[in-house]
């Protein structure tokens, strides 16, 4: 094999690898919206998680069934998880997002603790960090976090 042919093969391999995505879902944009961001304990915070395929190819995501492509998690000031949207992983679905396609899921949170994370009670007043989640089998993707403040009734 000549040097010129070997260089041509290496150059072709390098060029072919340049456009390869660095992770499976690098063209999915995830956004989070909380409304309102300050509530009295027991009132509803609406959590909206949005995923958009910003790439030119269809993206396929394997996730839990029951429409659980998008969810959210809540963490207290110490970083402990207090709430998560439960998605059964025993039933897997393939979700395909065409180029430009958007999926949105809007869910309520009333300041309760998930029963599988501790006693099913209302969490104490304070500030909580919320993260939207793309519930993919592997890897899980998260939005930037946003803060919600829970006030005692009567403020």
């Amino acid at each position: 094999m000549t040097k010129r042919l070997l260089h041509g093969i290496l150059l072709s391999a390098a060029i072919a690898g340049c456009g390869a995505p660095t992770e499976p879902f690098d063209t999915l944009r995830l956004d989070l919206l909380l409304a309102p961001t300050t509530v009295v304990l027991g009132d509803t915070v609406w959590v909206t998680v949005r995923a958009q395929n910003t790439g030119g190819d269809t993206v396929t995501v394997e996730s839990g069934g029951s429409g659980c492509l998008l969810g959210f998690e809540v963490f207290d000031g110490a970083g402990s998880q207090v709430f998560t949207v439960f998605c059964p992983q025993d039933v897997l679905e393939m979700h395909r997002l065409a180029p430009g396609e958007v999926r949105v899921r809007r869910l309520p949170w009333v300041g309760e603790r998930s029963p599988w994370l501790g006693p099913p009670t209302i969490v104490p007043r304070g500030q909580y960090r919320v993260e939207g989640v793309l519930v993919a089998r592997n890897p899980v993707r998260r939005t930037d976090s946003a803060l919600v403040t829970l006030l005692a009734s009567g403020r």
Side-chain angles (χ1 to χ4, degrees):
M1 194 180 282
T2 67
K3 266 188 178 180
R4 179 173 276 163
L5 180 58
L6 183 57
H7 284 279
I9 292 171
L10 291 175
L11 181 60
S12 295
I15 290 171
C18 285
T22 57
E23 64 177 82
F25 311 127
D26 65 349
T27 62
L28 285 181
R29 176 183 168 161
L30 297 177
D31 297 301
L32 172 70
L33 175 68
L34 303 178
T37 57
T38 301
V39 296
V40 174
L41 280 169
D43 285 354
T44 301
V45 175
W46 287 97
V47 180
T48 303
V49 184
R50 179 181 180 271
Q52 179 180 14
N53 179 359
T54 62
D57 296 318
T58 297
V59 174
T60 302
V61 181
E62 184 179 31
S63 75
S66 309
C68 281
L69 179 64
L70 301 169
F72 70 95
E73 296 176 342
V74 181
F75 301 87
D76 65 17
S80 297
Q81 187 181 58
V82 297
F83 185 83
T84 184
V85 173
F86 179 74
C87 294
Q89 293 297 313
D90 56 341
V91 178
L92 296 177
E93 287 183 18
M94 302 300 276
H95 300 269
R96 289 177 176 73
L97 282 82
E101 186 174 351
V102 175
R103 300 274 179 96
V104 178
R105 190 167 185 204
R106 185 173 185 245
L107 299 160
W109 184 58
V110 293
E112 78 273 17
R113 178 183 307 277
S114 291
W116 49 89
L117 296 174
T121 58
I122 298 294
V123 298
R125 67 187 172 125
Q127 209 168 47
Y128 291 84
R129 180 172 47 90
V130 180
E131 294 180 359
V133 179
L134 174 72
V135 189
R137 187 166 179 204
N138 190 19
V140 171
R141 289 276 310 276
R142 298 177 182 281
T143 64
D144 290 337
S145 61
L147 295 177
V148 62
T149 302
L150 303 180
L151 303 173
S153 56
R155 299 180 188 180

